């Protein structure tokens, strides 16, 4: 068995330690929290319509359903190496309830409005990084009888050590997004966020931002690695996933609410991005047989 990437089951956690990836860059989100530590790599991260510099020693926390994208620089044989854990917070919240202050912090991380999704300048010797390493070393000894306990211990310890670091970060008046890049791209992302649910025309976007269509398209592709239309498609599917899992709205109405009047095209687009149809995705959610990644 490979222990650099471990799925305990479809309900608990997706974990990897010092995993090296291929050049695979897509806008995506998770049903749970993602904890991501970057050991090696450089590029740009887009989250919450803002851009951040990717560099070693960066810890990212993505909240449930938070759309994010990492554009990585693979030139000159550069490597992207990270450790990560993706988990459904409600499944482990009971393990935090014995410690009210820690429990409140845990809820703040996955439900609150965070000033930024990332911390910088953590070394590979930092105690938070050791939490990934220690859990990795426990994996060969886990079985059905002890895995839930071991996962909960990993998460409780991780958030226990994260809490003072994060509180200092939020208490710092300079905690506004560090490493932000390219204000024009953020303007484009903000426009899309307000308008993705209506039919998209590049001319409308260019006119609204007082930029030429060519310059606008080139600027966005250079900064994110995807076209504006690809990002809008990802944003629409992201919203449809939320509607499929949190409402009983029919698929035809969901398609209309995300700006797609042709339900057949919506189903085709959804399957291209999610590998299943909207109906199949909703059924998996109801049956609690979804996968977190």
């Amino acid at each position: 068995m490979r222990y650099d990437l471990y799925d305990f089951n479809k309900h608990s956690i997706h974990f990897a330690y010092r995993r090296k990836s291929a050049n695979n860059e897509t806008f995506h989100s998770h049903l749970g929290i993602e904890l991501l530590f970057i050991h090696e790599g450089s590029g740009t991260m887009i989250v919450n319509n803002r851009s951040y510099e990717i560099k070693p020693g960066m810890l990212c926390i993505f909240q449930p359903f938070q759309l994010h994208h990492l554009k990585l620089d693979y030139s000159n044989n550069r490597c992207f190496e990270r450790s990560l854990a993706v988990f459904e917070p409600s499944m482990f919240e009971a393990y935090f309830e014995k410690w009210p202050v820690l429990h409140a912090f845990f809820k703040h991380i996955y439900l609150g409005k965070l000033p930024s999704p990332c911390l910088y300048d953590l070394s590979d010797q930092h105690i938070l990084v050791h939490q990934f390493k220690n859990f990795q070393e426990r994996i060969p000894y886990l079985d059905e009888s002890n895995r839930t306990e071991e996962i909960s211990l990993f998460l409780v310890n991780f958030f226990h050590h994260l809490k003072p670091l994060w509180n200092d970060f939020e208490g710092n008046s300079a905690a506004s997004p560090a490493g932000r890049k390219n204000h024009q791209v953020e303007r484009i992302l903000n426009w899309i966020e307000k308008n993705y649910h209506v039919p998209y025309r590049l001319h409308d976007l260019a006119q609204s931002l007082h930029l030429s269509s060519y310059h606008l398209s080139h600027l966005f592709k250079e900064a994110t690695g995807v076209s504006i239309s690809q990002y809008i498609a990802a944003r629409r599917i992201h919203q449809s996933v939320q509607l499929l899992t949190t409402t009983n709205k029919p698929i035809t109405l969901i398609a209309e609410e995300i700006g797609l009047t042709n339900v057949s095209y919506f189903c085709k687009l959804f399957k291209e991005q999610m590998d299943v149809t909207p109906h199949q995705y909703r059924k998996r959610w109801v049956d609690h047989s979804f996968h977190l990644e």
Side-chain angles (χ1 to χ4, degrees), residues 13 32-36 59-64 85 87-89 92-93 96 101-111 114 127-128 131-132 151-167:
I13 196 169
I33 293 176
E34 178 180 357
L35 307 172
L36 172 69
L59 175 68
C60 307
I61 301 175
F62 303 116
Q63 295 172 305
F87 65 96
E88 166 53 51
F92 298 97
E93 188 167 347
F96 287 84
V101 175
L102 185 62
H103 182 211
F105 172 68
F106 179 68
K107 291 185 70 172
H108 171 65
I109 288 295
Y110 83 86
L111 295 173
L114 307 182
I127 193 167
L128 284 174
Q131 297 305 309
F132 284 106
I151 296 169
S152 64
L153 286 171
F154 161 66
L155 294 174
V156 168
N157 280 325
F158 189 93
F159 280 88
H160 171 69
H161 292 295
L162 174 65
K163 183 177 177 294
L165 192 67
W166 193 270
N167 287 344

Side-chain angles (χ1 to χ4, degrees), residues 251-252 255 260-272 277-278:
I251 290 171
T252 51
L260 299 175
T261 55
N262 185 325
V263 69
S264 296
Y265 175 70
F266 164 60
C267 291
K268 179 176 180 290
L269 183 65
F270 191 97
K271 188 168 184 179
E272 285 176 355
T277 66

Side-chain angles (χ1 to χ4, degrees), residues 219-268:
L219 185 71
F220 192 85
K221 181 69 179 286
E222 184 179 44
T224 67
V226 298
S227 68
I228 294 173
S229 59
Q230 286 174 316
Y231 175 76
I232 291 175
R235 180 64 184 90
R236 285 169 167 169
I237 295 304
H238 172 259
Q239 182 65 19
S240 73
V241 165
Q242 288 189 271
L243 293 172
L244 285 166
T245 56
T246 60
T247 76
N248 293 319
K249 293 180 179 179
I251 290 171
T252 51
L253 181 58
I254 290 175
E256 291 177 8
E257 289 191 9
I258 64 170
L260 299 175
T261 55
N262 185 325
V263 69
S264 296
Y265 175 70
F266 164 60
C267 291
K268 179 176 180 290

